[in-house]
Amino acid sequence: MRVLKFGGTSVGSPERMHQVTQLINDGVQKIVVLSAVSGTTNSLVEINTAYRQEGNKAAHQLIDQLEAKYYPFIKALYKSEKALAKGTTLVKERFDLLRSFDTATFDGDDEKIILAQGELISTHLFLYYAQEVGLDAALIPALEFMRTEEGEPDLPYIKNALKQTLKQIPSAQIYITQGYICKNEKGAVDNLRRGGSDYTATLLGAASDADEIQIWTDIDGVHNNDPRIVKNTQPINELSFAEAAELAYFGAKILHPSCVLPAQKEGVPVKLLNTMDPKATGTIISRNTAPAKGIAKAVAAKDGITAIRIISTRMLNAYGFLKRVFEVFENYKTPIDMITTSEVAVSLTIDDDANLAAIKKELTAFGDVEITPNQTIICVVGQFTQEQAGAAIKVLHPIQHLPLRMISGGGSKSNISILLDTQYKKEALVALHKGLFAAAAHA
Ligand code: ADP
Ligand code: ASP
Ligand code: MG
């Protein structure tokens, strides 16, 4: 089995969908995971906000606008009247559902059902086209087998349920399914958070003993810096699972933060490929990667970080202090990203500040607490073994003119992280690119 995932832009127009059918028609049995048509999930988020804050009329206006985009889409997608009729019925049915909610009773479960419609629409429209052009394709509904338990995917359940689903249509060549959406332990519709289709793909790759997972997107693989911010970034041909996991977690938008883990666990190679340029090498993430040339391989940045410093003389020579500090974060289900300590203080960062006030209150029991919002973690990924001299200097040298709030290295061999105020992010990414990669690119 092979798993191929196509992102929003890759299914973002009728022409792209036509092209995807060509890319998947190679005789290999596969699961094809699709995102929503690009822009749709953002519109669904706006529809939710309208239902919550403005009322039915405002929500319906946005729904009508989104629906109007789908009719020219399906007209250009299909050749036959029969397929067009099926597409039209599907679009009407899904948008009638979107209109059926009511501000007066609107809740979180309704929100999740609305967010799921993007992938439900794209997969059905694509299936009708694939069948129209004669592919041996069948739809396997993600809500039958994708399941979370307390917000995290339940891989053993997924494995078993996927097997049962595939058993019902054993001979199909192409299984089409929805990325992003799932059911939770209560049986309610849920999702794997924004960008979650990547995660669906790697979970299905791990669950089906796939020989390869391919993530098709709108760029030729993972670049060595954020191409939205820095000019002349370069694709990286090979990454280890650890390197890719760090980049994904610390902000490289091309990969969902958790999506590397299932593939890493099962050792399934992940390829990142460009739908607009299918012949480009892209990136392969696997166990067999070549060590980094030079010291650093790539840089990524994660915004929306809050730094918390706890200053306490009770830390001096005391054991159990950090445990009690961590318990506070555990109680509020708030993950810690970075941590640095000194003799009398500990600094750490969180990106989920939903419970910040309560956390701060509890931490004051340990000492003085300082909170600094609007921080960015810059993560430099490479091979930083302890035998290597000068790695930290090389990483910090290009940003010596910027004020750094925290520096963390040695946690893993593949990451040095820096925390700074978000106002310096762009400058830091550009300077790091120049200092770490520009010379190598011209060598
Ligand atoms: P998809 O809809 O296919 O999932 P995304 O928009 O989620 O695509 O991810 C691809 C985008 O990620 C690229 O177009 C690029 O702008 C952005 N991106 C951010 N950081 C990186 C990086 N390090 N390498 C490649 N792309 C990146
Ligand atoms: N459609 C979802 C999103 O936009 C999932 C994805 O594209 O990966 O976040
Ligand atoms: Mg994405």
Side-chain angles (χ1 to χ4, degrees):
M1 188 62 85
R2 187 162 290 179
V3 178
L4 280 74
K5 175 254 171 177
F6 293 88
T9 334
S10 305
V11 292
S13 68
E15 299 72 35
R16 291 269 157 260
M17 283 201 179
H18 294 164
Q19 194 202 357
V20 170
T21 56
Q22 288 166 16
L23 288 170
I24 62 175
N25 192 14
D26 59 2
V28 178
Q29 195 176 41
K30 54 176 69 71
I31 299 174
V32 173
V33 177
L34 300 184
S35 292
V37 168
S38 62
T40 295
T41 310
N42 286 345
S43 299
L44 295 172
V45 170
E46 285 169 16
I47 290 165
N48 278 338
T49 310
Y51 267 127
R52 270 202 189 280
Q53 297 173 4
E54 293 166 67
N56 294 340
K57 199 169 156 221
H60 288 189
Q61 242 168 24
L62 294 173
I63 295 167
D64 294 347
Q65 280 168 21
L66 184 61
E67 183 178 14
K69 291 187 189 160
Y70 275 94
Y71 292 112
F73 188 110
I74 53 175
K75 203 151 190 287
L77 180 62
Y78 304 117
K79 292 185 186 69
S80 68
E81 286 302 321
K82 194 175 150 214
L84 181 59
K86 274 167 85 175
T88 308
T89 307
L90 186 275
V91 172
K92 281 207 157 71
E93 175 197 300
R94 293 289 118 188
F95 280 87
D96 283 347
L97 175 84
L98 288 175
R99 275 185 284 266
S100 71
F101 296 92
D102 189 349
T103 295
T105 55
F106 198 70
D107 64 13
D109 285 346
D110 295 341
E111 247 178 43
K112 301 282 177 56
I113 293 170
I114 287 182
L115 289 174
Q117 299 312 311
E119 273 71 11
L120 288 167
I121 294 171
S122 66
T123 46
H124 280 91
L125 296 184
F126 182 78
L127 172 78
Y128 304 154
Y129 178 68
Q131 289 175 336
E132 184 183 38
V133 292
L135 299 194
D136 181 11
L139 191 99
I140 50 169
L143 297 180
E144 268 183 20
F145 50 82
M146 292 304 294
R147 181 178 146 128
T148 53
E149 188 83 44
E150 292 193 16
E152 292 307 317
D154 181 346
L155 191 53
Y157 179 98
I158 294 170
K159 207 170 186 158
N160 192 33
L162 176 67
K163 212 184 206 169
Q164 302 306 324
T165 300
L166 293 179
K167 238 195 234 164
Q168 292 162 29
I169 19 176
S171 67
Q173 180 107 111
I174 297 167
Y175 298 102
I176 298 165
T177 194
Q178 297 84 20
Y180 177 60
I181 65 174
C182 60
K183 284 201 173 165
N184 59 29
E185 67 274 18
K186 292 181 293 184
V189 174
D190 211 323
N191 62 64
L192 301 172
R193 296 187 275 276
R194 296 303 306 270
S197 299
D198 301 331
Y199 205 8
T200 303
T202 56
L203 287 161
L204 293 182
S208 64
D209 292 325
D211 63 348
E212 187 172 295
I213 298 158
Q214 298 180 356
I215 295 185
W216 290 81
T217 180
D218 58 1
I219 189 164
D220 53 349
V222 180
H223 277 221
N224 56 3
N225 208 325
D226 191 329
R228 296 166 299 176
I229 297 173
V230 179
K231 285 194 203 116
N232 301 323
T233 58
Q234 301 293 323
I236 307 166
N237 293 342
E238 292 185 14
L239 282 171
S240 68
F241 284 116
E243 291 165 342
E246 304 266 18
L247 286 173
Y249 187 75
F250 288 109
K253 189 198 171 216
I254 186 169
L255 288 168
H256 177 279
S258 312
C259 79
V260 179
L261 306 176
Q264 180 172 26
K265 203 164 153 242
E266 300 295 323
V268 187
V270 181
K271 273 192 191 156
L272 285 127
L273 297 161
N274 188 354
T275 318
M276 326 297 160
D277 183 8
K279 292 212 163 67
T281 314
T283 301
I284 177 148
I285 304 166
S286 74
R287 284 186 179 151
N288 317 309
T289 48
K293 262 199 278 164
I295 295 254
K297 244 180 175 173
V299 179
K302 184 172 173 180
D303 296 331
I305 303 292
T306 301
I308 303 171
R309 178 183 281 137
I310 306 141
I311 307 147
S312 169
T313 45
R314 275 191 283 148
M315 257 185 94
L316 274 168
N317 275 327
Y319 55 84
F321 180 85
L322 284 178
K323 176 174 175 275
R324 291 197 297 279
V325 168
F326 287 156
E327 269 165 5
V328 174
F329 291 87
E330 193 185 332
N331 291 342
Y332 289 99
K333 293 199 164 72
T334 302
I336 296 168
D337 285 332
M338 255 177 102
I339 170 157
T340 55
T341 64
S342 83
E343 200 51 13
V344 290
V346 53
S347 273
L348 39 82
T349 71
I350 57 172
D351 76 343
D352 172 6
D353 61 3
N355 294 304
L356 184 59
I359 289 173
K360 182 178 179 191
K361 200 165 164 222
E362 287 198 24
L363 290 176
T364 48
F366 301 108
D368 292 335
V369 179
E370 291 171 10
I371 308 276
T372 321
N374 304 323
Q375 302 291 295
T376 291
I377 296 176
I378 306 242
C379 162
V380 181
V381 159
Q383 304 282 333
F384 305 114
T385 57
Q386 62 202 40
E387 295 77 25
Q388 225 170 5
I393 293 287
K394 281 200 183 139
V395 168
L396 295 178
H397 188 261
I399 47 171
Q400 59 180 314
H401 59 294
L402 296 176
L404 309 183
R405 168 76 170 75
M406 284 165 71
I407 302 166
S408 167
S412 88
K413 285 179 191 166
S414 51
N415 168 343
I416 293 178
S417 297
I418 297 136
L419 187 76
L420 43 64
D421 196 287
T422 302
Q423 63 175 306
Y424 302 117
K425 166 187 160 178
K426 184 169 183 216
E427 212 176 328
L429 288 181
V430 171
L432 282 166
H433 200 69
K434 208 164 151 224
L436 299 174
F437 308 126
H442 295 296

